[in-house]
Amino acid sequence: MRARLAALAATIALAFTAPAQAESQAPNGGEWRHGMSIFGDLKYDAGFSHFDYANPAAPKGGELRLIPSEAYLNQGFLTFDTLNIFVLKGSGAHGMRLTFDTLMTRAWDEPDAMYGLAAEAAAIAPDRMSVAFRLREGARFYDGSPVTVDDVVFTFDLLKEKGHPLLTTAIRDVVSAEAAGDRTVVYRFQGDLVRDLPFTVAELPILSKAYYSDHDFSASSLEPPLGSGPYRVDDVQQGRSITHRLDPDYWGRDLPVNRGRFNFGTVRFEYFRDRTAAFEAFKSGEYTFREEFTSRFWATKYEFPAVTDGRVVKLTTPDNRPSGTQGWFINTRKAKFADPRVRQALGYAFDFEWTNRLHFHDLYTRTQSYFENSDMKAEGSPSEAELALLEPFRGQVPDEVFTEAWVPPVSNGSGQDRRMLKRGRDLLAEAGWVVSDGKARNAAGEVLTIEFLSDTPTFERVLQPFIKNLGLLGIDASIRQVDAAQFEERLKDFDFDIIIRRFSMRETPGVELRAFMGSETADQPGSRNLAGIANPAVDALIDRVVHATTRQELVTATRALDRVLRANHYWIPQWYKGEHNLAVWDKFGWPEVKPKYHRGVIRLWWVDPEKEARLNQ
């Protein structure tokens, strides 16, 4: 009897194993997996129940109110006039990504891993020239219609033709998206920069073919679009606020990647055209979560009654992500900034040490690198591996690339360091700008003028001393403040001399670097290549980053790239903090474990009923 039972069990096992093995291979020859990782193994196995940093017992409901802090594609910070964030036209509203599901979603405790969302599995071809996704059964749009392969293919074709330039650049080497059965779609690639493309297409929004066949995708619109994500647009007050409401019938709420996520009943973004007004609104409770980016406010302004009596709490959490490239970007498309010595000279007029002490209460550290706060930052002399990448460009890049990595000058903290100013004036003279009658003039007698474009007065306290020092170099500098709409248009058209911006780098940089610093985007309206970088060495090193097959290769390539960028002085770096400064009205709960690579507030926090009851009392 025991032998017969064993034989029967073996027969049953074979019956279930054989089809599984047959179905393990995708149409492109790859093996189906529940997740993808650029380097190495996945942390979570196929049977995981939820991400470690999510709390599956978190209660649902309540409201989160906040102001915009991180932009995506065409989103602005001070106002909005469209709900279409996937095209260049208009200033997009925040939170719209909550409306659209993607094929896969990132794990925030791994630097480069994704797991299935609308797709239950993915398969990268052995030659990496294609990726296949198998859609889940049950994925659906708000109107009840299923998410189909046709929708996924339609989305790709639409974004490729009419999408925001940042999207079209990212998917430039994706040749096609093709249906390979009722539930399978295959994306095919070209060229040799394909490492990151499976992850790029996995993060594209999924748009409804039926909806956008009747609606102009390229137009600005305030009509809530048809999506399939966890939140629907609930209320729109143009330029003032937008409210997203959790869909109680959201099809994906019980997926492993979503358990413990999307806990707020509503998420409302409030818009203010003035930062001081925004802060006062937080004090009065008009919104309930605030990340403080102004060190002076953090050090001196959080002493109002709601803080002292405990209704508002201050939190400091680590930020382990690359800190980004915050600074003054210099528009090298303009002839007056073509010489890197001119650009370098400008940096000698900025006294960070004085600024940090007087304005920032010594809360910041000077940014040195495009990959600050990460192991991708270049330091000291180049390693042998870095030199191997850099040597082909000797004579084409500044000699400093082959010595110590360039770092911003350190002042005596006086606010007017004569040594630094002399070095700045010498550099200008070397570049042909000689001071005459107190003005730096070129051979044609033209005065060197600089206009800082701004949409807020917040930075004036930092800019005015900077401008004063630029005047000591003979430069006629000024601030041009414009409204939010005009600012966004001039930004997209590169109609500025110098502009302040901050861009975050991914934990595993890749093809998106083209949008920040690739030659092909230097003159592409709306691109993030604000400085207009068009440098063959930079392009080649970006290719090396994208080609990296191991983490160490990637680190070596980014360090080499960092050296070239810093030695060419495309920007004047500002400052950073490796932490988040948060102030919240004390009604929220959050997971015990913070994800390493994300703040996680909108998707992971929740309203604690007991805290909210005490706060309401």
Side-chain angles (χ1 to χ4, degrees):
M1 175 67 71
R2 187 174 299 175
R4 287 198 300 270
L5 288 175
L8 179 61
T11 302
I12 294 173
L14 284 173
F16 281 94
T17 301
Q21 289 175 340
E23 294 177 3
S24 66
Q25 191 172 77
N28 64 346
E31 295 295 317
W32 288 118
R33 297 187 71 192
H34 65 292
M36 302 187 296
S37 176
I38 293 178
F39 305 120
D41 297 327
L42 296 169
K43 174 181 176 179
Y44 297 95
D45 61 29
F48 81 103
S49 62
H50 61 86
F51 290 132
D52 289 347
Y53 50 79
N55 176 14
K60 305 289 185 181
E63 182 182 49
L64 170 68
R65 282 178 286 156
L66 69 167
I67 59 176
S69 61
E70 295 182 352
Y72 172 75
L73 297 179
N74 72 348
Q75 291 171 328
F77 294 101
L78 305 181
T79 188
F80 71 92
D81 56 19
T82 180
L83 303 188
N84 185 356
I85 63 172
F86 302 118
V87 297
L88 183 60
K89 187 176 182 180
S91 183
H94 279 251
M96 292 306 300
R97 283 194 289 177
L98 298 170
T99 295
F100 298 94
D101 268 331
T102 56
L103 291 169
M104 308 194 88
T105 189
R106 290 189 178 271
W108 290 338
D109 52 355
E110 299 176 82
D112 49 38
M114 301 186 76
Y115 295 87
L117 183 55
E120 64 182 11
I124 299 175
D127 63 1
R128 305 192 72 85
M129 296 306 294
S130 66
V131 62
F133 296 97
R134 189 172 64 213
L135 298 188
R136 291 186 191 275
E137 293 183 353
R140 61 181 182 271
F141 293 103
Y142 298 147
D143 63 358
S145 61
V147 174
T148 68
V149 168
D150 284 346
D151 294 311
V152 177
V153 172
F154 170 81
T155 296
F156 170 77
D157 292 338
L158 189 62
L159 294 176
K160 182 96 169 178
E161 178 186 359
K162 299 181 179 180
H164 192 285
L166 293 177
L167 290 175
T168 59
T169 298
I171 60 177
R172 185 193 65 179
D173 289 337
V174 184
V175 178
S176 64
E178 306 164 0
D182 292 341
R183 294 172 53 205
T184 302
V185 60
V186 178
Y187 293 87
R188 303 195 183 278
F189 312 141
Q190 67 180 1
D192 52 4
L193 303 178
V194 300
R195 186 200 69 197
D196 298 343
L197 292 181
F199 304 84
T200 300
V201 296
E203 286 190 302
L204 294 177
I206 300 175
L207 309 177
S208 166
K209 179 179 180 180
Y211 178 84
Y212 283 103
S213 295
D214 292 333
H215 294 76
D216 184 2
F217 174 74
S218 61
S220 293
S221 174
L222 290 172
E223 176 185 322
L226 178 65
S228 61
Y231 285 86
R232 300 190 187 202
V233 175
D234 184 59
D235 181 68
V236 178
Q237 302 294 323
Q238 182 178 347
R240 295 172 53 194
S241 69
I242 179 169
T243 302
H244 305 269
R245 185 170 297 278
L246 184 65
D247 183 0
D249 298 320
Y250 173 46
W251 72 271
R253 61 184 178 275
D254 295 323
L255 295 177
V257 294
N258 284 337
R259 290 193 187 112
R261 303 208 310 160
F262 308 117
N263 303 312
F264 294 111
T266 58
V267 176
R268 179 183 178 95
F269 288 90
E270 304 278 1
Y271 288 78
F272 298 89
R273 294 180 181 269
D274 180 82
R275 291 193 181 188
T276 300
F279 181 68
E280 293 300 320
F282 175 75
K283 288 168 59 177
S284 66
E286 288 188 39
Y287 60 100
T288 51
F289 170 90
R290 176 180 174 88
E291 180 165 5
E292 186 54 71
F293 297 100
T294 304
S295 60
R296 176 172 60 89
F297 278 28
W298 187 249
T300 65
K301 299 295 185 181
Y302 285 85
E303 298 174 352
F304 51 91
V307 174
T308 56
D309 65 25
R311 286 175 293 151
V312 169
V313 295
K314 296 172 66 178
L315 307 170
T316 299
T317 63
D319 184 359
N320 302 110
R321 301 171 300 173
S323 67
T325 57
Q326 180 170 315
W328 287 283
F329 287 85
I330 305 169
N331 191 351
T332 63
R333 302 170 188 83
K334 299 200 171 186
K336 60 187 174 183
F337 300 129
D339 193 316
R341 291 171 296 187
V342 172
R343 305 194 295 266
Q344 184 179 6
L346 304 183
Y348 278 95
F350 175 55
D351 191 328
F352 168 75
E353 286 67 32
W354 180 86
T355 302
N356 197 28
R357 175 169 53 85
L358 266 291
H359 293 301
F360 302 150
H361 301 268
D362 285 323
L363 292 175
Y364 286 111
T365 301
R366 185 75 189 270
T367 296
Q368 298 178 341
S369 165
Y370 282 73
F371 303 96
E372 192 66 64
N373 199 37
S374 77
D375 61 353
M376 297 177 287
K377 172 184 177 179
E379 296 188 90
S381 299
S383 65
E384 290 187 9
E386 290 174 64
L387 284 173
L389 299 181
L390 293 168
E391 280 295 344
F393 304 104
R394 191 179 286 274
Q396 303 173 45
V397 297
D399 293 340
E400 296 90 328
V401 166
F402 300 94
T403 58
E404 297 284 316
W406 180 85
V407 295
V410 178
S411 77
N412 60 15
S414 66
Q416 191 173 309
D417 189 321
R418 296 183 179 223
R419 174 184 52 86
M420 284 175 51
L421 293 172
K422 181 180 184 305
R423 178 58 180 150
R425 183 174 288 201
D426 290 344
L427 285 167
L428 287 175
E430 292 173 17
W433 295 90
V434 179
V435 176
S436 173
D437 299 327
K439 299 292 184 182
R441 303 176 186 273
N442 61 14
E446 298 168 324
V447 175
L448 181 55
T449 62
I450 294 176
E451 181 181 89
F452 291 88
L453 184 65
S454 175
D455 61 352
T456 173
T458 302
F459 275 92
E460 283 193 16
R461 62 195 178 98
V462 175
L463 273 173
Q464 290 297 354
F466 186 13
I467 287 173
K468 176 182 72 84
N469 282 347
L470 288 171
L472 296 176
L473 298 182
I475 299 171
D476 188 359
S478 61
I479 303 172
R480 173 74 168 177
Q481 188 169 323
V482 298
D483 62 43
Q486 186 178 356
F487 180 87
E488 291 299 325
E489 288 304 311
R490 291 186 61 172
L491 182 68
K492 292 173 182 177
D493 295 335
F494 310 121
D495 182 16
F496 59 85
D497 285 345
I498 297 180
I499 200 167
I500 297 172
R501 263 301 184 259
R502 177 181 182 269
F503 296 121
S504 298
M505 294 294 181
R506 290 200 291 127
E507 292 77 27
T508 304
V511 70
E512 80 283 351
L513 292 176
R514 292 171 172 169
F516 291 108
M517 56 196 70
S519 296
E520 66 195 80
T521 61
D523 295 314
Q524 184 184 77
S527 86
R528 295 183 179 180
N529 190 347
L530 298 182
I533 300 172
N535 186 315
V538 170
D539 295 336
L541 290 170
I542 291 175
D543 289 353
R544 287 287 188 172
V545 173
V546 178
H547 270 117
T549 57
T550 67
R551 187 78 197 177
Q552 187 53 54
E553 286 182 8
L554 179 126
V555 168
T556 298
T558 51
R559 289 175 179 174
L561 173 62
D562 194 31
R563 291 178 188 278
V564 174
L565 292 168
R566 287 156 66 178
N568 276 286
H569 307 286
Y570 295 116
W571 68 323
I572 303 168
Q574 291 182 342
W575 46 81
Y576 78 99
K577 284 186 298 186
E579 59 189 22
H580 299 287
N581 292 330
L582 312 177
V584 300
W585 284 81
D586 191 20
K587 68 173 188 175
F588 300 111
W590 48 81
E592 294 182 5
V593 178
K594 174 190 173 294
K596 183 176 182 180
Y597 298 116
H598 206 279
R599 191 182 60 187
V601 176
I602 295 176
R603 290 166 173 80
L604 295 176
W605 286 24
W606 62 87
V607 171
D608 183 312
E610 293 183 3
K611 287 185 176 181
E612 186 172 42
R614 287 197 300 268
L615 187 63
N616 290 339
Q617 288 175 359

